[in-house]
Amino acid sequence: MDFIHSMKFPFIIVMGISLIALAVAFWLIEWVMAKDTGTDAMRKISDAIKAGAEAYLRRQNITIITLSGVLSVVIFVLYAFVRKHNEHDPAGPMALALCTTASFVAGAACSLIAGYIGMWVSIRTNIRTAAAARTSLNDALRIALRGGAVAGLFVCAMSLIGVGGLFIILKLLGFPFEKIPFMIVGYGFGASFVALFAQLGGGIYTKAADVGADLVGKVEAGIPEDDPRNPAVIADLVGDNVGDCAGRGADLFESTAAENIGAMILGVGLVPYFGWKGVVFPLVARALGILASICGVLVVQTEEHEDPMDALNIGYYLTSFLSALGFAGAAWWMLRSEAAPNAWIYYTTCGFIGILTAQAFVYITQYYTEYKYRPVLSIADASKTGPATNVIAGIAVGLECTAVPIIVISVAILASFKLGVMALGPAAGLTGGLFGTAVATMGML
């Protein structure tokens, strides 16, 4: 069989791009770390935040690792000795138990690594962004974005390396490719388990510290919010780094890992149409999306007098455009066969729907959170008459802003499902439609 049409080539693409993403992430770390760290007073505060964040995350990770170890033993025992084996299982009880447990451990480990690296970089990027902001808007924007991009690249790359690596190992061990996705579902569960504790632990910590800092500082001491004279502010900023960086990184890792495996499982149902390519397609499309993201991050820069959101939007537009091209190319290559010669067109459209949905979220979020639009202006105007009208206006806008995303998501799901059904016809049943929604989700993520 020609090498390009064998199963080796897609995995070379997936693993190769993942390693490129990690290399770029390390280069971004080096680039950020070379920047100025500001004054002694700035470093004093930054060092306190860094010490607190690292201490908290270290303690949290010890708890997560302990609980993960206990749960991995429980999973193995349940699969090996308690769960009843049936003819539809992808492997025997012991093999299934080992694969599920190993996948769970791998998912948890990769999630911890992605979350920790993201926070490690963030607590060092913060002071460099603040120092750059004293002299240059463009430098501050680029440092902040590139420091944050490290977490994004690690999340996506570790997800692909984990899922792709497990797939390769099991294939080399002789398992049929259509059964492997069912044997690595533990990977997504491990990632979800870590995300549960990382997101909630960091989130609860930061909200408790935030409220405490506000009560002590603004209410009792009468000093401004986030004033360094208030010791609770340090705890609040520690929580921001732990919850919004490490916790969010673990949460995003869980989303990408679960989506990868879920789409691969749905691809198994389309083996009669696409063979192994339908199963591997989600990994290839995600890998090409990483390349698009790298390009988008590197082009972002702004003039000193411009709105930085304009520069960020340009980077996002470029990323979306390149992602769409990669998606179309991957679909043409992997979702086209004699049984369904035009299916790739429909599934490409599903991917476009997902990309456009993400773009819509950008506009919706900007409209409801930027100072120059009606929602924020209305809350500010309500604040003139006191805290009561401020609370009422804020709650009203908060409830209102959920409506449009619900409508957008509903339309995207229905449209992608319909296109998935049209791609393969009624003979494929609901599987084609469900795969269409999975492809749209891939485009959105």
Side-chain angles (χ1 to χ4, degrees):
M1 181 182 293
D2 185 68
F3 179 69
I4 291 182
H5 295 289
S6 70
M7 192 179 290
K8 296 178 183 178
F9 190 63
F11 280 101
I12 291 176
I13 292 177
V14 171
M15 304 305 282
I17 291 178
S18 298
L19 294 177
I20 290 173
L22 293 180
V24 172
F26 281 114
W27 173 77
L28 291 176
I29 292 174
E30 183 180 2
W31 185 87
V32 170
M33 294 298 290
K35 301 302 179 181
D36 178 41
T37 56
T39 65
D40 291 338
M42 294 170 65
R43 285 191 290 271
K44 182 180 179 180
I45 296 174
S46 176
D47 289 345
I49 296 171
K50 180 173 65 175
E54 290 179 340
Y56 179 90
L57 191 62
R58 189 182 308 113
R59 184 63 189 88
Q60 179 177 269
N61 285 347
I62 290 174
T63 302
I64 293 175
I65 291 171
T66 302
L67 293 174
S68 299
V70 172
L71 187 56
S72 64
V73 174
V74 173
I75 291 173
F76 177 80
V77 171
L78 290 176
Y79 269 85
F81 305 109
V82 178
R83 181 180 178 273
K84 292 183 178 180
H85 180 71
N86 63 73
E87 60 182 10
H88 299 294
D89 285 345
M94 191 57 64
L96 189 58
L98 288 172
C99 291
T100 304
T101 305
S103 299
F104 173 84
V105 173
C110 290
S111 182
L112 284 173
I113 292 172
Y116 182 82
I117 292 295
M119 194 209 71
W120 188 93
V121 175
S122 74
I123 56 180
R124 289 162 174 80
T125 301
N126 295 337
I127 186 172
R128 289 164 172 82
T129 302
R134 297 176 302 162
T135 57
S136 172
L137 170 64
N138 183 50
D139 288 346
L141 174 65
R142 296 174 71 204
I143 292 171
L145 180 63
R146 294 186 177 192
V150 172
L153 292 175
F154 258 89
V155 164
C156 292
M158 294 299 293
S159 174
L160 288 178
I161 289 173
V163 176
L166 289 171
F167 194 102
I168 293 171
I169 291 172
L170 293 180
K171 189 70 179 67
L172 292 175
L173 291 176
F175 291 99
F177 72 86
E178 67 270 17
K179 295 185 179 297
I180 293 177
F182 298 96
M183 301 174 68
I184 61 175
V185 292
Y187 188 86
F189 181 42
S192 300
F193 186 77
V194 171
L196 172 67
F197 287 94
Q199 186 76 358
L200 292 181
I204 292 171
Y205 179 94
T206 187
K207 287 305 157 193
D210 190 9
V211 172
D214 287 346
L215 289 176
V216 173
K218 290 192 291 187
V219 178
E220 295 184 8
I223 57 179
E225 184 174 0
D226 292 343
D227 193 299
R229 293 173 294 173
N230 181 1
V233 168
I234 300 299
D236 180 17
L237 298 178
V238 167
D240 286 340
N241 282 281
V242 172
D244 295 339
C245 297
R248 184 67 63 191
D251 183 54
L252 293 174
F253 181 89
E254 178 269 334
S255 297
T256 57
E259 168 57 26
N260 287 338
I261 296 174
M264 292 173 74
I265 290 174
L266 290 172
V268 172
L270 304 181
V271 167
Y273 297 92
F274 308 121
W276 60 265
K277 292 183 179 180
V279 180
V280 180
F281 168 76
L283 302 183
V284 175
R286 181 84 71 206
L288 296 176
I290 292 179
L291 291 181
S293 297
I294 292 173
C295 295
V297 168
L298 295 181
V299 302
V300 171
Q301 58 182 346
T302 185
E303 299 294 334
E304 299 300 320
H305 61 279
E306 293 181 350
D307 186 345
M309 281 306 303
D310 294 337
L312 291 174
N313 285 335
I314 290 174
Y316 191 84
Y317 298 148
L318 176 63
T319 299
S320 298
F321 175 74
L322 294 177
S323 295
L325 292 181
F327 219 99
W332 179 84
W333 175 32
M334 308 193 76
L335 300 181
R336 181 172 56 96
S337 65
E338 293 182 1
N342 296 320
W344 72 276
I345 299 175
Y346 292 96
Y347 286 124
T348 297
T349 307
C350 291
F352 289 175
I353 289 174
I355 293 173
L356 292 175
T357 299
Q359 188 70 62
F361 287 164
V362 172
Y363 292 136
I364 295 168
T365 302
Q366 289 181 0
Y367 176 72
Y368 279 101
T369 58
E370 280 200 24
Y371 65 91
K372 56 186 176 182
Y373 297 116
R374 190 268 309 170
V376 174
L377 292 175
S378 67
I379 297 175
D381 187 60
S383 301
K384 296 177 181 179
T385 53
T389 49
N390 169 257
V391 170
I392 293 172
I395 292 176
V397 171
L399 295 174
E400 175 191 324
C401 74
T402 63
V404 179
I406 291 174
I407 295 173
V408 171
I409 292 173
S410 300
V411 171
I413 291 174
L414 293 174
S416 58
F417 181 86
K418 182 64 176 178
L419 286 169
V421 172
M422 294 169 60
L424 302 178
L430 299 178
T431 305
L434 293 175
F435 190 73
T437 61
V439 171
T441 304
M442 290 163 50
M444 184 183 70
L445 289 177

